[in-house]
């Protein structure tokens, strides 16, 4: 039997924009978009794509899809199986049954709430979104409107995720730290930390964890289902 194998082709994608968020590192980013709805993102187009005509009509949609690159994983090896954090990190699943960043092509997909399209911004048009799960500076490859009748399937099966538990904790932020962060960052930090960014297998109540967010090193401890912020130190740029 003669089997014809097509030579693997290389596809070059254009980076149309970059998103700017308060996520300064991978640790702490919610596992999915929308889990920290108070967190804001600004999508700034590359100069050659800064045409107001390209976003005409977009303001009429409440949500959009972002197609983006796991830029921190560019060039890294992929594996046919991965350990989903929702399963405690001790069970392997096929990479194509997960949203792991370690993929043959490091492409991510996120549905976010569209807050505003700023046409009068000096870098405009600038798209403002809520609830992104993207690291600051992540390249955006494409933007598409979310259409409920085509994109929503409420009765869809969710495979092994039906066995996973929701990992949320009660967040306590003392008044002195609230004063340091201010109202906006306090709300965002609370939204982010309620999803318990720790690996599922780490349950050390004496350990101090730290997450870089919004230019601050936020340190915290977790005892049972209560996460307490203990410090917020401004990071030098």
């Amino acid at each position: 039997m003669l089997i014809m194998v097509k030579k693997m082709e290389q596809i070059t994608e254009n980076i149309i924009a970059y998103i700017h968020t308060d996520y300064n590192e991978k640790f702490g980013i919610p596992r999915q978009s929308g889990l920290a709805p108070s967190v804001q993102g600004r999508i700034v187009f590359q100069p050659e794509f800064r045409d107001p005509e390209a976003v005409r009509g977009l303001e009429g949609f409440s949500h959009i899809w972002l197609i983006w690159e796991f830029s921190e994983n560019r060039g890294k090896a992929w594996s046919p199986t991965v350990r989903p954090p929702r399963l405690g990190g001790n069970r392997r699943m096929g990479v194509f049954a997960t949203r792991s960043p370690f993929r043959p092509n490091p492409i991510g997909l996120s549905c976010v709430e569209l807050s505003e399209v700023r046409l009068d911004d000096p870098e405009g048009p600038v798209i403002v979104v809520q609830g992104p799960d993207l690291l600051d500076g992540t390249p955006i490859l494409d933007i598409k409107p979310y259409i409920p009748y085509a994109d929503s399937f409420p009765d869809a099966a969710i495979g092994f995720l039906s066995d996973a538990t929701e990992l949320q904790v009660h967040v306590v932020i003392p008044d002195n730290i609230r004063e340091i962060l201010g109202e906006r960052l306090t709300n965002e930090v609370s939204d982010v930390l309620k999803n318990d960014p720790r690996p599922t297998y780490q349950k050390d109540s004496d350990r101090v964890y730290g997450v870089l967010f919004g230019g601050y090193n936020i340190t915290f401890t977790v005892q049972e289902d209560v996460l307490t912020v203990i410090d917020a130190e401004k990071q030098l740029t």
Side-chain angles (χ1 to χ4, degrees):
M1 178 189 299
L2 178 63
I3 300 177
M4 302 297 293
V5 179
K6 186 177 181 180
K7 183 179 179 181
M8 186 170 64
E9 299 177 351
Q10 296 293 323
I11 300 175
T12 301
E13 301 290 345
N14 290 317
I15 295 175
I16 66 167
Y18 289 89
I19 189 169
H20 300 286
T21 69
D22 281 324
Y23 295 117
N24 303 136
E25 63 176 358
K26 179 181 176 182
F27 181 64
I29 298 179
R31 296 173 177 88
Q32 303 293 340
S33 59
L35 294 181
S38 69
V39 175
Q40 189 175 92
R42 294 175 64 255
I43 299 171
V44 180
F45 287 95
Q46 292 285 77
E48 61 267 38
F49 298 105
R50 292 179 186 174
D51 187 340
E53 289 298 296
V55 296
R56 182 196 292 184
L58 188 64
E59 74 282 352
F61 294 88
S62 66
H63 293 74
I64 57 176
W65 289 106
L66 302 180
I67 302 170
W68 47 279
E69 181 190 29
F70 286 103
S71 52
E72 295 295 301
N73 288 17
R74 188 184 297 142
K76 293 184 178 179
W78 72 283
S79 172
T81 61
V82 295
R83 301 177 187 269
R86 289 282 300 276
L87 296 180
N90 53 14
R91 289 176 57 190
R92 284 194 169 274
M93 293 291 169
V95 64
F96 298 128
T98 74
R99 299 190 178 189
S100 167
F102 299 100
R103 321 186 67 80
N105 294 306
I107 297 174
L109 179 69
S110 297
C111 184
V112 295
E113 181 180 353
L114 175 59
S115 178
E116 183 182 4
V117 179
R118 296 176 180 169
L119 298 178
D120 57 352
D121 191 286
E123 297 180 300
V126 170
I127 299 175
V128 182
V129 298
Q130 301 294 139
D133 56 341
L134 285 76
L135 186 69
D136 182 47
T138 293
I140 304 297
L141 303 177
D142 202 359
I143 298 169
K144 298 178 185 290
Y146 172 87
I147 304 174
Y149 69 79
D151 298 341
S152 177
F153 300 91
D155 298 325
I158 58 173
F160 64 84
L161 290 177
S162 60
D163 298 328
T165 57
E166 292 297 326
L167 305 175
Q168 288 203 342
V169 293
H170 175 66
V171 178
V172 176
I173 304 178
D175 290 341
N176 64 312
I177 296 177
R178 290 174 176 270
E179 292 179 4
I180 294 173
L181 296 175
E183 182 178 0
R184 180 185 66 83
L185 271 182
T186 294
N187 291 337
E188 291 189 358
V189 167
S190 179
D191 238 6
V192 169
L193 295 183
K194 74 180 182 183
N195 296 295
D196 193 355
R198 300 174 302 164
T200 311
Y201 54 83
Q202 288 187 4
K203 300 298 181 183
D204 186 354
S205 61
D206 295 325
R207 180 169 178 174
V208 176
Y209 298 87
V211 57
L212 295 178
F213 183 84
Y216 288 86
N217 181 26
I218 312 293
T219 53
F220 61 91
T221 59
V222 185
Q223 294 186 344
E224 296 183 353
D225 62 346
V226 177
L227 184 152
T228 303
V229 176
I230 59 177
D231 198 8
E233 181 180 356
K234 183 70 174 178
Q235 297 297 289
L236 299 177
T237 57

